[in-house]
Amino acid sequence: MKISNLTLIVFSLMEILIHHPSSANTLFLSSLEGTSSGVWKSIPTTEDDAERRSFFRSLIMPIIRQKVPDLDKGKVMYLIFVNPQVNTPGGITLNAASTSFFKSSYFLKEFNEDPYYNYTSPIETMFCEDSYQSMYSQLLCGLYYSNEVLRLGAPNGSGLVQAIRFLQENWTILCNDIRTGSITNVKITDPSVLEAVLKVLKPNPKLAEFIETECKRDESWKGIIARLWPNAKYIKTTVTGSTMSHFIPTIDSYSNGLPIVSIRYTSSECYLGLNLNPLCKPNEVSYTLIPTMGYFEFIPVDDHEKQQHPELVDLANVKLGQEYEIVVTTYAGLYRYRVGDVLRVAGFKNNAPQFNFMRRKDALLSIETDKTNEVELQNAVQKAAKHLVEFNLSLVDYTSYSDRSTIPGHYVLFWELQWPNNNDIVRATSSVFEQCCLTAEESLGTEYRHLRNQSHKSSIGPLEIRIVEKGTFKKLMDYATTIGGAAVHQYKTPRSVKLAPILELLNSRVVSNYISPKCPSSELQRINQHDHP
């Protein structure tokens, strides 16, 4: 990138800030990567930037309509949540970027005028800042209009799975409210929510009986989304990257394989790209960056690891198959800002590069010189969890921790499990979970296995799996959204945790723990095994 271009960008940013002095009164709070960092970042914004984001959003439905017609003939059940506004002592408003958009004139116009955004829920239910009341009332309206729903979803995969589990816990009272056409749930106390929902709700015993029958039919709830919303054509949610891909099998099971549309690649700092092939398989999603949203540059991942000041590559010069960390310069004032995402060039649309979202750039786990990133951890967890299938167990969610309190230090995985029958957890013996530990270790990187296998003294202790009570990861989300201040729909389960209060919460709910029974194979052992089967 030439100095002259940089100068032009800096002057352009100064001009924007000068002409929009009111923008200094509002900052976005970036969403935490789960809750692991414990630090919020304040992101500058301007009115022009809000208009640009609205334009970006307006491109979504034209792309989807090319593949799925007649979406204006029904309703959309999309779960939207907002956060309370926060003000600094100096009077600056701090909002999650999503909350700021949903409360803007752009969203209100879309809500009231766009036939492709005919929501099942009244806007009062979306704007309710109590997450329980908001979730309950939005699901209630979504179920009431179930036959009219043509698409449904939530901002990310974890949020959608949380919504289905909320439904599992509350379907009986939801059915009762639909049957009577009233709200009998004593936890729903917000007057605006009550008034708005009661305008929608009319007694419908037949629908209540149908929902009750479907919820009782199968304890695993396989296909529950497709059965409760029979006319839904796809699910809109983000499941790209190692953090969210964990939820794909669960969503597939709940939906009987409805297409999962991951259409947007966005962050609080900048809206970045769109998936031009929305019905592709989740593991094939690639995003085409929209160059009018900001100026994009890239750090080759190999260079980032080897050099203190790596050379930046611009959008026109990225190479197929190469992984890059993305760097953005935005109209709202960020200059060469490292978002922290690692992308891989998947191909080109005409001459425009398209990117797979791979992971966050930082290593999640490390004890010595080992570095385990999101992709490696996700791969290890997926392989390990396969041992549970024959016992009718499934992995609800997980996180990890580099435990250096032991000598030597070791990796800890926190697992929450789901089972339809209480006897299933008993049938899975200790040896099964110990095999899960060993499989996870076998799936980790060469450096990790080398340090575990040092003959004179292992530098890393055996991997440990701690099974936590049902509902633990819901508690973790509640912590992030109430104490930590994260937006419900922006929340992502942290794949690694460091903060003491979070570790205390997780450890307080551990019901059993298991240790890997032996060292994983080293690279040399693997070569020998391959040469001498």
Side-chain angles (χ1 to χ4, degrees):
M1 184 175 180
K2 297 179 180 179
I3 295 297
S4 57
N5 289 339
L6 290 176
T7 304
L8 285 172
I9 289 175
V10 171
F11 278 117
S12 297
L13 296 176
M14 290 175 61
E15 183 180 3
I16 288 169
L17 295 173
I18 290 169
H19 283 84
H20 295 276
S22 62
S23 65
N25 294 326
T26 302
L27 292 171
F28 287 159
L29 286 174
S30 68
S31 61
L32 294 172
E33 181 58 29
T35 54
S36 57
S37 71
V39 179
W40 286 101
K41 292 177 288 186
S42 301
I43 307 298
T45 182
T46 66
E47 180 58 33
D48 277 356
D49 195 45
E51 185 175 348
R52 194 171 286 106
R53 291 176 187 236
S54 178
F55 168 75
F56 178 98
R57 187 177 170 89
S58 72
L59 300 175
I60 292 173
M61 286 314 300
I63 293 171
I64 294 177
R65 277 159 33 201
Q66 294 180 57
K67 304 290 184 180
V68 187
D70 299 327
L71 291 174
D72 57 337
K73 302 296 193 295
K75 291 183 175 289
V76 52
M77 189 188 88
Y78 194 73
L79 301 174
I80 291 173
F81 302 91
V82 300
N83 266 33
Q85 179 176 298
V86 179
N87 292 316
T88 68
I92 296 176
T93 300
L94 300 175
N95 257 335
S98 52
T99 294
S100 184
F101 175 78
F102 290 135
K103 290 194 171 182
S104 72
S105 59
Y106 300 104
F107 177 73
L108 292 175
K109 182 177 181 180
E110 172 188 283
F111 185 92
N112 291 318
E113 300 178 13
D114 193 331
Y116 288 95
Y117 289 96
N118 183 7
Y119 290 97
T120 55
S121 300
I123 203 164
E124 292 84 355
T125 66
M126 301 174 181
F127 285 2
C128 177
E129 294 175 355
D130 182 301
S131 60
Y132 178 94
Q133 295 190 62
S134 182
M135 178 75 84
Y136 184 92
S137 55
Q138 289 190 65
L139 283 174
L140 178 60
C141 294
L143 288 167
Y144 184 78
Y145 287 119
S146 58
N147 284 327
E148 298 179 49
V149 170
L150 298 184
R151 67 190 194 275
L152 57 108
N156 57 56
S158 63
L160 183 62
V161 171
Q162 287 285 359
I164 297 302
R165 293 194 177 124
F166 183 97
L167 182 57
Q168 282 183 295
E169 296 171 2
N170 294 277
W171 66 264
T172 53
I173 191 167
L174 284 162
C175 284
N176 189 54
D177 286 353
I178 291 172
R179 183 177 290 109
T180 61
S182 61
I183 296 182
T184 58
N185 188 337
V186 295
K187 295 182 180 179
I188 310 304
T189 58
D190 187 306
S192 63
V193 170
L194 287 166
E195 182 180 355
V197 173
L198 289 175
K199 286 180 180 178
V200 170
L201 216 55
K202 300 292 184 292
N204 194 333
K206 186 176 179 181
L207 176 60
E209 184 179 350
F210 166 76
I211 295 170
E212 185 175 0
T213 299
E214 294 302 326
C215 291
K216 286 180 176 179
R217 183 194 293 185
D218 183 351
E219 288 183 337
S220 72
W221 269 36
K222 181 173 174 56
I224 193 67
I225 291 176
R227 289 187 275 120
L228 293 182
W229 291 278
N231 296 313
K233 298 181 179 182
Y234 66 84
I235 293 169
K236 181 175 177 287
T237 191
T238 299
V239 289
T240 48
S242 53
T243 300
M244 286 297 129
S245 64
H246 167 74
F247 297 101
I248 294 172
T250 303
I251 295 171
D252 279 340
S253 176
Y254 284 147
S255 70
N256 275 347
L258 275 175
I260 301 174
V261 172
S262 293
I263 189 73
R264 300 185 303 164
Y265 172 34
T266 64
S267 68
S268 300
E269 296 84 357
C270 183
Y271 281 17
L272 299 114
L274 292 166
N275 174 13
L276 302 182
N277 184 19
L279 295 186
C280 67
K281 294 179 181 178
N283 61 356
E284 297 174 354
V285 170
S286 64
Y287 298 103
T288 303
L289 299 190
I290 309 299
T292 54
M293 300 307 296
Y295 189 89
F296 303 123
E297 297 174 283
F298 303 87
I299 302 173
V301 169
D302 292 341
D303 288 352
H304 169 260
E305 294 174 351
K306 296 175 183 176
Q307 302 176 27
Q308 186 175 0
H309 301 290
E311 188 72 26
L312 290 174
V313 177
D314 62 26
L315 185 62
N317 292 310
V318 296
K319 296 179 180 178
L320 183 66
Q322 173 69 52
E323 289 190 356
Y324 297 92
E325 179 191 346
I326 187 168
V327 177
V328 302
T329 297
T330 70
Y331 290 94
L334 295 178
Y335 169 65
R336 284 190 164 171
Y337 180 93
R338 298 168 74 158
V339 176
D341 293 347
V342 174
L343 310 180
R344 181 176 63 198
V345 182
F348 296 86
K349 175 71 173 179
N350 297 326
N351 290 323
Q354 297 178 304
F355 297 87
N356 302 130
F357 176 84
M358 300 303 294
R359 62 186 184 275
R360 299 287 291 171
K361 71 177 177 66
D362 296 327
L364 294 185
L365 296 171
S366 179
I367 298 295
E368 287 261 335
T369 56
D370 56 300
K371 292 182 179 179
T372 298
N373 62 37
E374 277 188 30
V375 173
E376 293 168 327
L377 179 63
Q378 171 68 8
N379 178 57
V381 168
Q382 281 183 331
K383 289 182 176 179
K386 288 180 180 178
H387 293 292
L388 304 177
V389 174
E390 64 178 294
F391 300 99
N392 210 16
L393 298 173
S394 60
L395 183 61
V396 172
D397 213 339
Y398 73 93
T399 191
S400 63
Y401 169 55
S402 299
D403 188 350
R404 295 184 178 87
S405 66
T406 60
I407 302 175
H410 69 293
Y411 288 6
V412 175
L413 303 180
F414 293 95
W415 281 14
E416 181 180 331
L417 304 178
Q418 180 174 343
W419 56 93
N421 188 311
N422 288 331
N423 293 326
D424 290 320
I425 191 66
V426 177
R427 292 196 296 115
T429 61
S430 296
S431 62
V432 174
F433 290 107
E434 289 172 358
Q435 187 60 43
C436 290
C437 293
L438 180 58
T439 299
E441 289 200 290
E442 292 278 6
S443 305
L444 293 173
T446 303
E447 182 73 4
Y448 174 89
R449 298 196 312 277
H450 169 70
L451 292 170
R452 278 280 284 128
N453 274 278
Q454 287 182 335
S455 57
H456 61 288
K457 180 183 178 183
S458 294
S459 299
I460 300 179
L463 182 143
E464 178 184 3
I465 291 177
R466 298 177 188 173
I467 307 299
V468 296
E469 298 174 24
K470 281 187 175 181
T472 294
F473 281 83
K474 173 63 166 59
K475 293 279 187 183
L476 190 60
M477 184 182 75
D478 291 343
Y479 175 89
T481 54
T482 56
I483 299 174
V488 173
H489 58 284
Q490 286 183 309
Y491 174 79
K492 308 174 187 72
T493 301
R495 292 307 175 212
S496 177
V497 295
K498 300 175 183 176
L499 293 180
I502 296 173
L503 285 169
E504 184 178 342
L505 185 157
L506 290 166
N507 282 317
S508 70
R509 297 176 67 85
V510 172
V511 295
S512 59
N513 67 302
Y514 307 92
I515 299 291
S516 184
K518 61 180 182 179
C519 289
S521 302
S522 68
E523 204 62 27
L524 181 59
Q525 288 171 325
R526 291 187 179 195
I527 292 170
N528 289 336
Q529 289 168 1
H530 183 266
D531 291 341
H532 305 286

